Amino acid sequence: MDPALLRERELFKKKALSTPTVEKRQAASDSGSHKKKKPKVDKEGSSGSKLSSESNGNFNIKASSGYKFGCLAKIVNYMKTRHQNGDTHFLTLEEILDETKLLDISMKQKQWLMNEALVSNPKIEVRDGTYGFKPKYNLKDKKALLRLLDKHDQLGLGGVLLEDVEEGLPNSAKAIKALGDQIIFVTRPDKKKILFYNDKHCQFLVDEEFQKLWRSVPVDSIDEDKIEEYLKKQGISSMQETGPKKVLPIQKRKKQAGQRKRHFKTHNNHLAGVLEDYSDGVPVKK
């Protein structure tokens, strides 16, 4: 072979090795290449939205229950005020809602007021589907108040709270003022006022000698329980307590000074002189 051709061949090989080449790869299968990547879900965002929705739901429940009881309190206060002003006739639920401006409540809340709240309320009286205020003492006028106080005085029940009279007697301030000295006001330590019947038949002069005898009897050493027990034996009923009840302090249990010794049942008493006690170890022989 011609040596010139051989040299050209070697030069061509070197040139080919020195020049880099890039091969194009075949495209992957269509099914693999066209797969869409799923978007990542933000777990923190989803959990946060879930918590926010739950908190909003709880807030809505609390708000709805608070609104319901707020409507009930408004209705009871309105019924009390109109009773005190002399409007004692009964009203339907629609009339009450109209006068209290609660026409925007839902049908569910109306059913709750009609079937549960107003029926079970101690200050509301239900009569043939209508509603009225129910005071502790239903007094029509000043004569009814005077009869109530006289009854309490005769039965030894004490007086009547002024707030109960104001609640049950329409225009109570005017009626109490008209009665004048036929009633007596007494203020309790808690600043609440009590009305008593002023029995004028008991207003008589007592001889001074009897007054001295009465004051000479000592009662300091006798407590109220003994006095009440004596009155019961004599057939006299004492007036009931109308003041605030005293709460007795709770007595704490005293801790035992020492643990009680436990007594165990003994056996083999007939071998008392034969058996030895090894609870402290084996005795040393002398």
Side-chain angles (χ1 to χ4, degrees):
M1 192 172 181
D2 191 2
L5 294 174
L6 291 174
R7 284 196 299 272
E8 289 180 2
R9 181 185 176 189
E10 292 295 329
L11 290 172
F12 178 76
K13 285 183 178 181
K14 288 180 180 180
K15 188 177 180 180
L17 291 173
S18 62
T19 303
T21 58
V22 179
E23 295 181 357
K24 291 184 179 180
R25 294 183 180 181
Q26 294 181 355
S29 60
D30 295 341
S31 60
S33 62
H34 294 289
K35 285 184 180 178
K36 295 182 179 179
K37 293 183 180 180
K38 295 182 179 180
K40 293 182 179 180
V41 179
D42 190 1
K43 294 183 179 179
E44 293 181 358
S46 61
S47 62
S49 62
K50 187 176 180 181
L51 289 173
S52 64
S53 62
E54 289 179 358
S55 62
N56 289 334
N58 293 333
F59 176 76
N60 291 333
I61 291 171
K62 290 180 180 178
S64 62
S65 63
Y67 179 73
K68 285 198 307 182
F69 286 103
C71 292
L72 176 61
K74 187 174 182 180
I75 290 172
V76 174
N77 288 333
Y78 169 74
M79 299 297 286
K80 177 182 177 180
T81 303
R82 67 184 296 273
H83 182 90
Q84 291 173 336
N85 293 333
D87 298 331
T88 58
H89 62 279
F90 282 50
L91 300 175
T92 62
L93 182 60
E94 295 297 332
E95 291 173 338
I96 293 171
L97 295 177
D98 185 22
E99 295 191 16
T100 54
K101 298 180 181 179
L102 294 173
L103 296 174
D104 58 340
I105 65 174
S106 63
M107 183 59 66
K108 187 177 180 181
Q109 291 172 341
K110 286 183 182 179
Q111 293 294 329
W112 176 74
L113 287 170
M114 188 182 302
N115 300 327
E116 296 181 33
L118 294 176
V119 175
S120 59
N121 194 286
K123 291 298 181 182
I124 298 296
E125 183 180 355
V126 184
R127 187 187 300 169
D128 298 330
T130 57
Y131 305 90
F133 186 69
K134 186 180 179 180
K136 185 175 182 180
Y137 304 109
N138 195 2
L139 306 170
K140 294 182 179 180
D141 49 24
K142 61 182 181 181
K143 293 181 180 179
L145 172 60
L146 202 60
R147 285 195 298 268
L148 175 67
L149 296 176
D150 187 15
K151 181 181 177 182
H152 273 242
D153 182 65
Q154 295 295 331
L155 298 177
L157 301 175
V160 178
L161 282 170
L162 176 61
E163 60 186 28
D164 292 337
V165 174
E166 292 174 341
E167 181 185 76
L169 178 61
N171 304 314
S172 58
K174 185 177 179 181
I176 292 171
K177 186 177 180 181
L179 289 174
D181 62 349
Q182 297 183 67
I183 55 177
I184 300 173
F185 283 91
V186 175
T187 304
R188 291 195 324 198
D190 59 354
K191 305 301 181 182
K192 289 187 177 182
K193 292 184 178 181
I194 307 175
L195 302 183
F196 289 89
Y197 177 69
N198 186 12
D199 191 357
K200 295 183 179 180
H201 296 287
C202 298
Q203 297 177 1
F204 53 88
L205 295 175
V206 180
D207 191 73
E208 188 176 353
E209 184 179 355
F210 286 103
Q211 292 183 25
K212 290 180 180 178
L213 289 172
W214 174 267
R215 292 167 183 157
S216 64
V217 178
V219 291
D220 296 337
S221 60
I222 305 175
D223 56 7
E224 293 183 2
D225 294 334
K226 291 182 179 179
I227 295 174
E228 187 174 358
E229 184 180 354
Y230 175 79
L231 292 175
K232 285 182 179 179
K233 289 181 180 179
Q234 303 299 323
I236 303 172
S237 60
S238 60
M239 187 177 68
Q240 294 182 358
E241 179 66 34
T242 58
K245 296 183 179 179
K246 296 180 180 179
V247 180
L248 297 176
I250 301 173
Q251 295 181 354
K252 296 182 179 180
R253 295 181 62 183
K254 294 181 180 179
K255 294 183 179 180
Q256 296 180 356
Q259 294 182 352
R260 297 174 63 183
K261 293 183 179 180
R262 298 177 64 184
H263 297 283
F264 297 95
K265 190 176 181 180
T266 56
H267 301 280
N268 300 328
N269 292 331
H270 61 286
L271 300 175
V274 179
L275 298 177
E276 296 183 4
D277 186 8
Y278 290 93
S279 59
D280 296 333
V282 180
V284 181
K285 293 183 180 181
K286 295 181 180 180

